[in-house]
Amino acid sequence: MNIAVLGTGMVGQAIASRLDDLGHSVVVGTRDPQATLARTEPDQTGNAPFAAWLDAHPGVELATFADAAARAELVVNASSGAATLEVLALAGADNLAGKVLVDIANPLDFSAGFPPTLSVKDTDSLGEQVQRALPETKVVKTLNTLTASLMVDPRSLGESSTVFVSGEDAAAKATVVELLESFGHDDVIDLGGIESARGTEMLLPVWLRLMGSLGTGHFNFKVVR
Amino acid sequence: MNIAVLGTGMVGQAIASRLDDLGHSVVVGTRDPQATLARTEPDQTGNAPFAAWLDAHPGVELATFADAAARAELVVNASSGAATLEVLALAGADNLAGKVLVDIANPLDFSAGFPPTLSVKDTDSLGEQVQRALPETKVVKTLNTLTASLMVDPRSLGESSTVFVSGEDAAAKATVVELLESFGHDDVIDLGGIESARGTEMLLPVWLRLMGSLGTGHFNFKVVR
């Protein structure tokens, strides 16, 4: 499949790398490809500059958000929650119309330090904001409840754990579930419409505190039933 | 141990019954014992009137919130989130001073229908409100992330699942962990101070949507790591 991954951070790299390995045609979208490639310093979390990652993934292309989205059949929003609505506006509603958009972002607000709060919650969600901004796009919220490495390789935990999908379009969710299964996910729960993204986005506060208690982000929730 | 359980609903009944079975001396607290015993109709969720439950548990006593708290070494808040601060005021700060208070309540707001929203979240929690209201009491938030029957019999799920503790006092948390283990919990994660109750209370939105998707509340989260 032709897939665009919007965002060059850890999540974008993990998703793009896995999709490339699985044989998809992957274009990573960024605001300004020349500026992205010109960065030679590690980012604020110590990750290598994107150019080094791209060199190691010769099958992956880099393009503007709009070009990446225009060429894709399915688009993954791997930008930060704070940037999401702007990134998707730059990608362009026309370029996203009729397509499946996998939304992984969480509306984390770091303005008061760590742990972050949520900029939207409880009576609305980022997933719903994205769907309202792009009414012609089939938004599916998923993978926002676990760390990047486990999003694409859940089997590295050694036992089954759960991911969730929320969205209005059943066929879009089925496409996304198939993609999740190709990553190794064997327990995908359909929570219902995009409104249910409120539930998974509000998992972040306990996820962040668990990361603190466990000293690692390498864990996931399993819904035991 | 002498234990008071504040609240006569499903959670209070489940906790009191289990503690009674385990050999503790249990007093259930209510606003007005005569009024509670006079009710002969099932409650709004179809449960039998409390008097019938009490008849079936001859080892358990019924008393006012204040009397129950005064006689107890450890107190369990099993009232609804909306009633909690009033119930604890009726129990009396003096009667609760120096004691461990296990807080199970969630700040659910049903005023706009189902699913409920949270009346406090993200930058505060009901657990913290309780601790601020009772500075001399050792508040431990726990068991607010699963259904009543699983709070007291997690092994009925057939495999291990997780519960959390949040609180400022390490000895109080150790006492509560021992109690949880006596119920059958074998994976208790200490999330840190009472502030971390924000995380577990914010699990309710996804818990409620999971109940809808799965068609049952008989499930729990396991933190796979």
Side-chain angles (χ1 to χ4, degrees), chain B residues 62-75:
Chain B
L62 186 67
T64 63
F65 290 129
D67 286 348
R71 292 161 59 187
E73 301 161 72
L74 181 146
V75 178

Side-chain angles (χ1 to χ4, degrees), chain A residues 117-118 121-122 159 190-191 195-196 199 202-203 205-206 209-210 213 219-225, chain B residues 117-118 121-122 157 159 190-191 195-196 199 202-203 205-206 209-210 213 219-225:
Chain A
T117 56
L118 297 178
K121 64 223 160 211
D122 206 17
E159 55 183 300
D190 185 343
L191 289 177
E195 181 269 359
S196 61
M202 288 175 81
L203 261 175
V206 76
R209 286 162 181 86
L210 276 166
S213 291
F219 65 86
N220 190 26
F221 299 99
K222 169 72 182 182
V223 178
V224 180
R225 71 273 193 195
Chain B
T117 56
L118 298 177
K121 63 222 161 212
D122 207 17
L157 269 177
E159 55 183 299
D190 185 344
L191 289 177
E195 181 269 357
S196 62
M202 290 174 81
L203 263 175
V206 76
R209 285 162 181 85
L210 276 165
S213 290
F219 64 86
N220 191 26
F221 299 100
K222 170 71 182 183
V223 178
V224 179
R225 70 272 195 195

